[in-house]
Amino acid sequence: MTQDLARIRAFVQVFDAGGFSAAARIHGRSKALLSKYVTDLEDYLGARLMNRTTRKLSLTEAGEAYYREVRDILTQLDDLDATITDQTAAPRGILRISAPRNFGERTLLDPLFEFTRLHPDVTLDLRLEDRMVDLVEEGIDVALRISRMSDTSLIARKIAETSVAVCAAPSVIKAYGAPKTPEALKGVPCIVDTNMTGQANWQFVEDGKTMTVHVDGPVRVNSPVGALVAAQKGLGFALLPSFLSDSAIQKGELVPVLVDYLPQRPFLQAVYPHRRHLSGKVRALIDFLVDWFEKNPVNA
């Protein structure tokens, strides 16, 4: 059984690392041993799992199906080991994290890299991308999201408060005036960030009730940074995360409006799959981030 697990683990390690040489460096094993383990596994299964060339390594159809299953099994075993052995042990192993690109690049790099520096046995695999990642399917340990939970198969823990701003360049305010109510946005050009929940349907709170205003304008872009630049260029009003808009507002490049109508926004959350045993590395990361953002508040 131990030998079987070693072969399976070698197969997963090689693919995760992108090759035999990289896996050997990361896990402190010889390239020849890893190659032998993978070959032995293929012989045992009677199927080729990997296509190997001098430049590229890829999984066969059988390899992809096998990888998905055994990766989850190994993760569960690792999590169980971490729980039963020593919960106070230093975090170790590969930590796969997903986060939105713009927020990640501007706000998350410092704490994530500091966590990695403090825990040298952790290998950080950070994936910054603006899409809703399937944590289980893609083997992600934890996703950092600014959203409300909708997937009941996941668990979320609040990390930090967030906020947004509706704002426009001074030239736009001069041309159209500052809207007094959210309804006034229907008659002015607005910039739509198609990555944002609701897209062109912006939510506000009036007299304690949530209201939605459909906006339109000359720009639709799937990037909050794109929406920021468009607003700075005077192309319309934009609904922006405050981690992007605050600096422009302080410089006078943008003017905030409708401040009293903004709803409570979703939190920055750490989202992870339902598991009976949460791995020590994920628990340590979440605790670290909660402490980091308590000391370094962020508007997002």
Side-chain angles (χ1 to χ4, degrees):
M1 181 63 179
T2 301
Q3 187 76 355
D4 290 340
L5 279 176
R7 293 166 180 166
I8 294 171
R9 194 177 293 278
F11 164 67
V12 172
Q13 289 173 345
V14 168
F15 181 70
D16 283 345
F20 289 90
S21 297
R25 289 194 300 271
I26 293 172
H27 299 286
R29 289 182 170 184
S30 72
K31 179 180 176 181
L33 180 61
L34 290 174
S35 180
K36 180 181 184 304
Y37 276 160
V38 173
T39 300
D40 288 347
L41 180 62
E42 291 177 324
D43 289 344
Y44 172 77
L45 295 172
R48 176 173 286 276
L49 301 176
M50 291 181 171
N51 294 313
R52 309 167 179 81
T53 68
T54 56
R55 295 185 178 181
K56 186 178 180 181
L57 182 148
S58 63
L59 295 181
T60 64
E61 184 177 352
E64 289 180 359
Y66 192 73
Y67 173 80
R68 286 195 298 268
E69 296 296 329
V70 298
R71 178 195 59 196
D72 292 340
I73 292 171
L74 289 177
T75 298
Q76 291 174 30
L77 286 173
D78 289 342
D79 292 348
L80 182 58
D81 286 347
T83 300
I84 292 177
T85 53
D86 184 5
Q87 291 295 335
T88 63
R92 58 186 174 82
I94 298 175
L95 182 56
R96 300 176 181 86
I97 302 172
S98 171
R101 179 173 297 278
N102 295 135
F103 183 65
E105 290 176 345
R106 290 176 178 252
T107 307
L108 292 176
L109 294 185
D110 277 350
L112 291 180
F113 292 161
E114 177 64 12
F115 176 84
T116 307
R117 187 187 70 81
L118 293 173
H119 300 286
D121 292 331
V122 169
T123 299
L124 179 66
D125 182 352
L126 177 58
R127 307 176 188 185
L128 300 178
E129 48 194 345
D130 294 323
R131 66 183 179 90
M132 193 61 70
V133 174
D134 186 321
L135 273 64
V136 175
E137 182 68 20
E138 300 181 42
I140 301 298
D141 295 302
V142 60
L144 301 174
R145 295 176 178 170
I146 302 173
S147 65
R148 292 186 176 91
M149 283 301 300
S150 58
D151 188 342
T152 56
S153 69
L154 302 175
I155 305 172
R157 180 176 171 186
K158 175 184 170 183
I159 299 295
E161 302 280 351
T162 70
S163 64
V164 296
V166 177
C167 47
S171 60
V172 174
I173 300 296
K174 182 177 180 180
Y176 297 95
K180 303 300 182 184
T181 66
E183 288 287 337
L185 290 173
K186 291 182 177 180
V188 298
C190 293
I191 298 154
V192 176
D193 178 1
T194 56
N195 261 352
M196 182 176 294
T197 302
Q199 299 193 11
N201 298 306
W202 294 358
Q203 285 193 346
F204 299 91
V205 173
E206 187 172 19
D207 298 327
K209 297 181 180 180
T210 299
M211 62 179 297
T212 300
V213 176
H214 183 78
V215 301
D216 199 3
V219 175
R220 295 174 65 88
V221 59
N222 66 337
S223 161
V225 171
L228 169 68
V229 174
Q232 291 172 314
K233 294 291 185 182
L235 294 176
F237 291 84
L239 179 60
L240 299 169
S242 293
F243 76 89
L244 288 178
S245 64
D246 280 351
S247 177
I249 290 172
Q250 292 170 3
K251 294 176 182 177
E253 298 170 351
L254 295 177
V255 178
V257 299
L258 300 173
V259 176
D260 295 334
Y261 292 91
L262 295 177
Q264 181 181 7
R265 305 304 297 181
F267 301 118
L268 169 62
Q269 298 174 320
V271 182
Y272 47 95
H274 272 289
R275 285 187 183 136
R276 185 177 178 184
H277 303 286
L278 181 62
S279 67
K281 61 188 176 185
V282 172
R283 183 182 292 106
L285 172 70
I286 294 174
D287 290 343
F288 177 85
L289 290 177
V290 169
D291 181 67
W292 174 279
F293 284 111
E294 283 180 356
K295 297 175 180 176
N296 304 274
V298 60
N299 289 321

